[in-house]
Every structure is written in structure tokens, then in C-alpha cells.
Amino acid sequence: MQDILDRFLGYVKIDTQSDASSNTTPSTAKQWDLANKLVAELKDIGLEDVTIDNNAYIMATLPSNIDKEVPIIGFIAHFDTTPDFSGTNVNPQIIRNYDGKDIVLNAEENIILSPDYFEDLLQYKGQTLVTTDGTTLLGADDKAGITEIVTAMEFLIAHPEIKHGKIRIGFTPDEEIGRGAHKFDVDKFGAEWAYTMDGSQIGELEYENFNAAGAHITIQGKSVHPGYAKGKMINAIGIAQEIMAALPNKEVPEHTSGREGFYHIHTIKGEIENAELGLIIRDHERSSFEDRKKALETIVFRLNEKYNNCIELSIKDQYYNMKEKVMPVYHIVETAKEAMEALNITPIIKPIRGGTDGSQLSYMGLPCPNIFAGGHNFHGKYEYVPVESMEKAVEVIVKICELTATK
């Protein structure tokens, strides 16, 4: 346990937040700090063909130790953390033999990680948890996944009696801002399929995700003295309110779950003469996804008729449901499921209410289901990960490599 814990703590203390406003890859220079550390570590543990390109994409190989042809498979994780919450000066806390009670993350700020609110905590009584100190995120998304992949490769190198084919690993920047797969060289990676280690609680196995689009709306108003504005003023803020009111008020993240889609307005700014809305559109079913985009277009069309074409709408697809690409090779999901069951882990097969590098990679020709990395409450101060879950994830990786070589 201590080795995997020390490795994880070493990673999370390095600030790797990405930045959606940047046009570089990686989007922040500080991501290189962990990227370069990983390259050195992969070489130290004995992996071959360790490379890092000009955009900080890392790849490495564990050569086959058998004399027959078996599929080349891969494992992928991302080393950036979300810009949604501070990742600077991460100070992890270690809670050993968790007793099922409240955990004081920060006494001064009265920040409590409580099972009364986060019921999943009770699954981990008696285990070792890594939490934040209440002032930053932790970074288990996805430094837990990186920890697990590196540890699994180190274990396989130390145990040549475990037979496996050629294994490729890849670490990416900028996943949290939707660009993790944008410059991933699938041909260079050379695997028939791969798994992202980027899920949450132990047992998660996901091969469905949202279809996703981003939308940007700009509104041009006309400012007139309010005392003489009748029939003349066009208040861009008011039109923004009309757009928001026209969207179904229950089809938002806070009122949906499972396979239910939503509209999510995440930014708004404006004055009388100009207002802007930023939103995302999500749905698991492609037909419903297209319907949602059309519904937004219809709202804007009708308001443009009312307000003399003062609204501009742009919609850009971001990624699609990987299910379309995974179902023809569903055996790769079954292999992961078999690996978990062999380790007495109950698979939790459910759709991702989001996206991973795997969703984009699947459409780039690399089918890529998602496996648990063990963390909970990603992207905020209540994030935590049980060390035992990370250990089980390592075992799952090893078992998948073994099963792939024996099928």
C-alpha cells in the first residue's frame, strides 16, 4: 500500500491545471512538470520506447513476454486537473482506518467531509482515504489513473511469470478542457483497443457517454434613455432572460440523472447593448441530442423574428457516445468485466454523465472503454480516494493484460 500511496502523493502535489482560454498544447506550461517526471519514471521502471512529443503526449511500451501473437492493448490516463477549482499547493490528508464518521478537512474554515451528505464514504470504513485539506481539489482525476497504470506496469515487469502481450500506455494533457485526445497519435500508439483509467468508484466500467455540444449566443441590443425607450430600446439582457426561460427548466444538470440529457448554461454576461450566453448540450441518444440542438435553434429563430435578427447562435459538436464504436468490439468490455469478477469486484456498468479521452479516441479508431480509478467528488474540495480502490485498479489492469494473452 505504501508504494502506491507515495507515488500518488508525489503526483498530486504537482500543479497541473489546464486552461481553456489558452491556445497552446499543453494549455499550461506547468503540465510539463509532471509530464517530464513521468517520462523519467517510466524509463526507470524499465519500460521501452518511452517518448514525449512537443505537445507533452507520453507513450511507452511493455514488450510481450509470450511467443504467440495476441492483440496489442493500451491503458490511458490524463495528467491535467480541472480549472474549475484550485489545484495549487495541494496538501493531501491521509485518513487511516476510516471510522465512518465526519472527516474535518479544514477546522479553520469548518469544511467537513461527511457521510451524512456523501453516503459513498460508508463503503470505505476501515480503509485508508486520501482527502484534500479543504482548500484545493485533490487531483485523483486523473492522477489516480496514472498511478495505477505505472504501478501495474512496474508489477508486471517484476513478475515475468504473468504472461502478457505487448502493452502500450499513454498519458495526455488537457483532458479536462476537452482536448485530451485532439493531438493523440492513434497510429503511433498502435493498439487494437485501450482502456482509460478515469472512472470513479471501484467497479465502474463504462462504454457509454454523452453526445456533447457547446453553444455560444451573442445578443446585440440598443440602448436608449429609459424614460423615452418605449418602442426603441432592445435590452440584450432581457432577451437573454427570454432564451433561458424558453429552455425546459427541469432539463438541467441539477434535475437529471442516468441517461437523461440536459441544457446547462455555464456563463452569462451582459449589458443593455450586448449580452452573451455560454451553454453545453448533452444527451446519450444521438436522435435526442440532435433534437436538443434543433430546439435551441428554434428558440433563437423565433426570438430573431421578434427582435429583428439581433441574436447570433453558434453550436459546435464536442464528442459523441463511444457506444457506437465499442459495441462492434464488445468483447473488450467483457474482458474488463471478467477481470473484475475474477478479483471479486462487482462491475458497475453504467453510462458516463460526461466524456473521457476514450470517447474521442473511439471515434479516432481506438475503441476505449473507461475503468474506475477509485476517486469520488472530483473537481472540488471534497474529493477523496481510497487507497484500496487504487490497489484494486492495479490488479484489474494486470488481470486484463493476462486475460488478453490467454484468450
Side-chain angles (χ1 to χ4, degrees), residues 209-211 250-263 281-285 288 292 351-354:
N209 61 277
F210 277 137
N211 295 289
K250 293 295 184 182
E251 295 179 18
V252 292
E254 57 267 40
H255 291 298
T256 53
S257 61
R259 288 182 170 80
E260 296 172 326
F262 58 75
Y263 302 91
I281 302 166
R282 299 289 189 265
D283 212 296
H284 280 95
E285 299 302 323
S288 301
R292 288 186 182 280
I352 307 170
R353 288 185 61 78

Side-chain angles (χ1 to χ4, degrees), residues 17 81-82 85-87 90 132 135-139 379-381 383:
Q17 280 187 298
T81 58
T82 181
F85 202 80
S86 175
V90 172
T132 75
T135 64
T136 70
L137 50 70
L138 179 60
H379 296 195
K381 59 191 173 187
E383 186 180 5

Side-chain angles (χ1 to χ4, degrees), residues 33 45 75-76 104 107 109 131 199 228 231 237 245 281 345 361:
D33 296 338
I45 67 172
F75 296 91
I76 297 169
V104 178
E109 299 292 332
T131 74
Y228 307 94
I237 298 171
I281 302 166
I345 299 169
L361 290 170

Side-chain angles (χ1 to χ4, degrees), residues 102-230:
D102 286 357
I103 299 171
V104 178
L105 299 179
N106 190 298
E108 184 177 335
E109 299 292 332
N110 193 32
I111 299 172
I112 309 295
L113 179 62
S114 174
D116 292 340
Y117 193 85
F118 299 107
E119 295 178 0
D120 288 337
L121 275 165
L122 297 178
Q123 298 179 61
Y124 307 112
K125 287 181 65 174
Q127 298 190 20
T128 296
L129 307 183
V130 185
T131 74
T132 75
D133 68 356
T135 64
T136 70
L137 50 70
L138 179 60
D141 180 13
D142 188 25
K143 292 169 185 175
I146 291 176
T147 300
E148 292 149 10
I149 293 170
V150 175
T151 303
M153 296 303 105
E154 186 176 46
F155 183 85
L156 287 169
I157 290 169
H159 293 272
E161 71 276 9
I162 300 174
K163 301 305 177 185
H164 58 81
K166 181 178 178 180
I167 311 299
R168 292 283 279 162
I169 68 169
F171 299 142
T172 74
D174 293 340
E175 189 270 355
E176 294 291 0
I177 56 173
R179 305 180 202 162
H182 284 190
K183 297 182 180 180
F184 190 96
D185 191 334
V186 169
D187 290 337
K188 177 183 175 182
F189 195 61
E192 290 190 32
W193 71 83
Y195 302 92
T196 50
M197 302 299 298
D198 195 18
S200 184
Q201 76 177 76
I202 185 170
E204 283 189 352
L205 172 57
E206 301 153 325
Y207 65 93
E208 300 180 58
N209 61 277
F210 277 137
N211 295 289
H216 186 257
I217 298 171
T218 58
I219 307 161
Q220 290 299 127
K222 288 184 179 180
S223 181
V224 179
H225 188 290
Y228 307 94
K230 184 175 181 179

Side-chain angles (χ1 to χ4, degrees), residues 272-291:
I272 292 172
E273 289 215 335
N274 184 272
E276 297 182 32
L277 292 172
L279 64 156
I280 59 174
I281 302 166
R282 299 289 189 265
D283 212 296
H284 280 95
E285 299 302 323
R286 180 67 76 96
S287 60
S288 301
F289 174 61
E290 297 299 332
D291 287 345

Side-chain angles (χ1 to χ4, degrees), residues 240-255:
Q241 289 177 312
E242 288 190 57
I243 293 171
M244 291 189 288
L247 293 169
N249 63 0
K250 293 295 184 182
E251 295 179 18
V252 292
E254 57 267 40
H255 291 298

Side-chain angles (χ1 to χ4, degrees), residues 21 38 144 167 193 283 313 332 360 364:
S21 67
L38 289 170
I167 311 299
W193 71 83
D283 212 296
L313 166 66
I332 70 179
Q360 295 183 51
M364 294 164 65

